[in-house]
Amino acid sequence: MCLGIPGRIVAIADEDAMLAVVDVSGVRRTVDVVCVAQEGEPLEALIGVWVLVHVGFAMSRIDEEEAAATLKVLAEIGEMEGELDAMRTGSVAPLAPAN
Amino acid sequence: MRFVDEFRDPALAAALIREIGTICATLGRAKDDPVTVMEVCGGHTHAIFRYGLEGLLPDLIEFVHGPGCPVCVLPMGRVDDCVAIAERPEVIFATFGDAMRVPGSRKSLLQAKADGADVRMVYSPLDALELARRNPDREVVFFGLGFETTMPSTALTVQRAARERITNFSLFCNHITIIPTLRALLEQPDFGIDGFIGPGHVSMVIGTAPYRFIAEEFRKPLVVAGFEPIDLLQSLLMILRQMAAGEARIENQYARVVPERGNPSALRAVEEVYEPRPTFEWRGLGSIERSGVRLREPYAAFDAERRFAVPDVKVADPAACRCGEVLTGAVKPWACPVFGTTCTPEMPLGALMVSSEGACAAYYQYGGLRGAA
Ligand code: SF4
């Protein structure tokens, strides 16, 4: 629950509501991006950015290398499937891509 | 058990382990007086066991598994409160999967669900809010738990509910904060920890400044660490270097994710939505002042504790259970009389057996069964 998982922002779901679509190892879901958005910058600028996703919220921007390393650690310690499963089965919000 | 050559950078890992050995030898510690380092975060506990780090390090170093697994420190009475709310016919009780199996004094949430309560496992508090939107005739209660890492998520969800004027959503707030808890540990008269590996993702939210008192008042080093084996080894080395130099500072090994000042948007949401409770109870640790938060007055309408009559009964842990002593590093899990017998990951008696981040579950899973880890 506390580790979070890296994902890449692939689309903006709702600009006013600060929601974006993130791809986490092939699973897509809508996440809140308030904590990684920069003031005065359009949300569009987040597309392509890697973030650490924690219970449906993008909590920190990370670089691609860090994302790869984190995914590897999560896979090794056996947390990856758990996170993705929770995301798939525990998600009520739409998982579908916005594009 | 893993070996160094399986790490992402085996040469670096081997070099770090050598350097740790060298510095450790200069500290003049004996086997019966090892350097004790507490990893505060349950994610670190899990990684230390998974990679068998203890086995790779000199005997003079001992990890103590701290209170940083939110599921593990949830008191039994709060689980009973969850069950009581969940059993109300109008309620949909939404929770993270981790919390489903934590034992209450009557039953766990999983058992409540089997008995007919409408308990739903969700991935995010946003999913709970979506349940509320889709079920306007039901009361959706989200079980908010976790340290500063998850606190912003529930705060932002409550703010979203307020903005949308959703009236059938509430939060059963059990969020806890790590700083007062570290202070309470440090103030214990016989607390013999030499240094701390600080939590990575809590610090991503709060930054590194809140830990300063640990160095300034208690003269102990703390190094915020990432979750790779290399991160943990590097952090340990940074702690030992400080000790060797007779210093105590707060350092940040995980700067690639943890900004010194934390995350301002997350902190703003936390500040706006929550206020400290005068005191909060922890499983195994007792009551700790200002260690828990509740919703502030402007968000009272979203507070499940105000909306429903929550029994709020204090329930003592089972007599045999030694969770508290394990959490503070006073004893190892195998010293608990029920470890591996009546308390197992399948049928946990204590909370440290429930989550893979709990010390007892880690010992059980990775073979520290007989005290030979
Ligand atoms: S074995 Fe079970 S009861 Fe004993 S300390 Fe560990 S979790 Fe608690």
Side-chain angles (χ1 to χ4, degrees), chain B residues 38 64 188 190-191 193 322 324-332 335:
Chain B
M38 176 178 272
V64 175
Q188 288 188 345
D190 46 2
F191 187 67
I193 300 298
R322 301 189 68 182
E325 287 156 278
V326 173
L327 274 175
T328 52
V331 303
K332 294 285 181 194

Side-chain angles (χ1 to χ4, degrees), chain B residues 64-127:
Chain B
V64 175
H65 317 294
C69 161
V71 173
C72 300
V73 295
L74 190 68
M76 219 172 225
R78 298 300 278 189
V79 180
D80 289 351
D81 292 342
C82 287
V83 170
I85 297 173
E87 283 177 338
R88 299 174 72 104
E90 75 276 27
V91 164
I92 298 176
F93 194 84
T95 173
F96 295 134
D98 308 43
M100 298 278 278
R101 290 186 311 122
V102 189
S105 70
R106 282 196 300 132
K107 49 176 107 167
S108 65
L109 281 166
L110 196 63
Q111 287 160 328
K113 184 180 169 74
D115 293 345
D118 194 348
V119 178
R120 315 256 182 114
M121 194 191 91
V122 291
Y123 161 69
S124 163
L126 292 176
D127 292 328

